[in-house]
Amino acid sequence: MRNWRRPWQVQRPFPLRVRLRLVVAAAMVLSMLFLFSVVTWLEFRNAHERNQERATSIATVLAQNLRGAVAFGDSVTASKILGSLNAIPGIRWAVLLDENKQLFSTYAAPASRAPTQPQMDAWLVRNNPASQAAFNKQTKSVYVTERVLVDEQPIGWLVLSLDNAAPSIAFFTRLALVLLVATIAALIASIAAVRILESVVQPILSLADTMREISKTHMYSLRLKAKRKDEIGDLHDGFNVLLEELETREHKLAAQQQRLMRLASRDEVTQLSNRHHFRQLLDEALEHADTDPFAILCLDLDRFKNVNDSLGHDVGDRVLRLVGERLRSIARVEDTMARTGGDEFSIILMEMDKEESVLPVARRILRSLQEPFEVDGLVLHIGASIGISLAPRDAQDAEQLLKNADLALYDVKAAGRNDLRFYHPLMGTRVDRRLVIERELRGALPRGELRLVYQPQVDTRANTVTGLEALLRWTHPRLGEVSPVEFIPVAEDCGLIAGIGAWVLEEACAHVQKLGSELTVAVNLSPVQVMTQDLPALVDGVLARTGLEARRLELEITESVLLNEGEATLKQLAALQRRGVSIVLDDFGTGYASMAYLLRFQFRKIKIDRSFVASLRDQGRKRAIVQAIIDMSHRMGMEVIAEGVETDSEMQILVGDGCVEAQGYLYSRPLPPDELARFLDQWRERGGGSGSVGRKAPLSIVK
Ligand code: C2E
Ligand code: CA
Ligand code: CA
């Protein structure tokens, strides 16, 4: 980093204020000196001129007085007259020359000597003895020459030599006065100058002060106060504008920082705590777990992935927001609700030491999420699974506590979701199995571990086999036979169902087409497939490749597909049925809203769930429901089939109530292809039909 110093941190030998004062003082002293020199020079010049004038007038008066003495050659009188010069200060000497420029009389002041004839002769060579005054720089004296005239005719010359006059006392007095006035003026000027300087320097210094203050305190709300109309005022205004900009920028920055802080702890979509914040609060809660026990809830939304995949993230986000609102409405102030993943939520319920205290709250949460969500006119049934662990009972550290709650959650999911469980030490092994299944299932299809078995569907009146339901089987080298009830939900969870489902469809169609009869084939579709795959395209491809006619294919869906009856889902189903493929509603009667869906989509066939068929004889109420289902199906123009028919009496009751088609162990278990071929052969041999082959000789195989 560069070693950067702010200007005011630099130590200067002379601050601005001192420097400017020095400049003012220097200017004053220099102008005083100049003034003094000019005045003195002028005064000296004046004194010199006055001296010359005085000398000239003395010489003129003297020359007139000397006329007689020269005219009469009276050197004694001349000498006396010259001697009167004694009274006049500054006269050095005087020489009176006659007509022939010979010394006639001389005078010398006490300290001086009058020039001799040769000196005078030499002087006359250098100077014109006309009446004039001259200044000799060498001798620093003034010379005045005056003619002695009689009748306008010169009869002699008077030469006076005077000291160059020294400035008088009056001069010094004047000078002192001038200097005094000048000094006072200079002082006043200095004060005025300093005042003016201050008015410039002060605002600059206060600007620097403000800058220093802001740099130290970051108080960008500070403003310069001076209200001036001049350039300094402009400078202040400019600086204030700059501060204002800085302040707004600072505000924006602070707001942004706050948002970042919020983001760091909040989940943007639900406004609940985020994973990071949740972990912080969990760690804090754990520090006092011994005295303040609490519960951790790991919550997974059951059908959220379907909503998100089929209806888009917008709808998904809105569902999450509603989930957030519902959770918040249940939480107490001391509780923490957090979104810790896509559709995962984590909850800390404080002051919970045993399962009985957690249970009512957990149940409320579960119930509130079972309520349908309304988004964009769609009614979405989401539901949730909740795993719970208690601190400090189940674990003392965050990792273990969360892992235990997760294990309980896995347990709920494995048992069919939409429920809650408390952690139990035995859960670990069950979850391990789920993880193994997930890992192994990924390679099951390429390794050829998956195969299909077929369960015949029978027309009980005509005694013919009319169709086959294809059912998936997985034989793993180590795990053995794994039930589809166990592995299909795992395949749905980890995105394997699309590939597996497509394979089942292709395999079943190909196999039934190979059988060469008129048998139909029923293929089970997972809700995830219906909501995420382009089924019409998939089915078109399969039918084209296998050569199976569309009318011979039945697709079984459960009502959970319709729980999120997005327009797109219904369109897919309608498109399939338009091709001649039959859509069958499987497990009819198990969902609580089955009837409502019958109004939304015209199914070709409904399949009465085996839970209704089992023990039909013993339970009159069940029979009433089955009768109603059969009656309704006929009235709505739908075919009806009963599954799980195990006994002859069940069959008899169903037939009596008008349900002609049935499948179940009574006729056959689901069979692998070779056994199926044998079964169909035997069936024909006994006189029963299959597909269009049947319907000739009715024969009950039940005895
Ligand atoms: P599901 O569609 O209701 O299939 C009928 C289940 O009832 C089959 O169990 C069948 O073996 C069994 N079953 C048939 N007759 C009787 C009977 O008389 N009594 C009793 N108690 N059970 C009988 P499975 O094969 O174990 O399949 C279970 C479930 O797994 C199926 O229920 C279906 O939901 C799912 N499944 C099976 N194969 C596939 C498949 O290829 N794709 C999809 N998505 N799901 C499948
Ligand atoms: Ca089925
Ligand atoms: Ca079924």
Side-chain angles (χ1 to χ4, degrees), residues 469 524 556 586-587 607 609-610 643:
E469 179 176 7
N524 293 284
E556 294 192 2
D586 201 355
D587 301 342
K607 192 181 251 190
D609 189 66
R610 63 175 177 274
E643 71 173 0

Side-chain angles (χ1 to χ4, degrees), residues 320-360:
L320 288 175
R321 220 164 288 144
L322 291 173
V323 170
E325 277 169 25
R326 288 185 192 180
L327 290 181
R328 254 199 309 278
S329 73
I330 295 172
R332 302 161 302 169
V333 260
E334 62 267 36
D335 298 336
T336 301
M337 303 276 171
R339 179 171 169 231
T340 45
D343 62 349
E344 292 162 27
F345 293 80
S346 301
I347 298 167
I348 303 174
L349 297 179
M350 295 306 293
E351 292 157 29
M352 299 280 176
D353 56 343
K354 46 186 188 293
E355 294 185 4
E356 293 81 75
S357 25
V358 183
L359 209 54

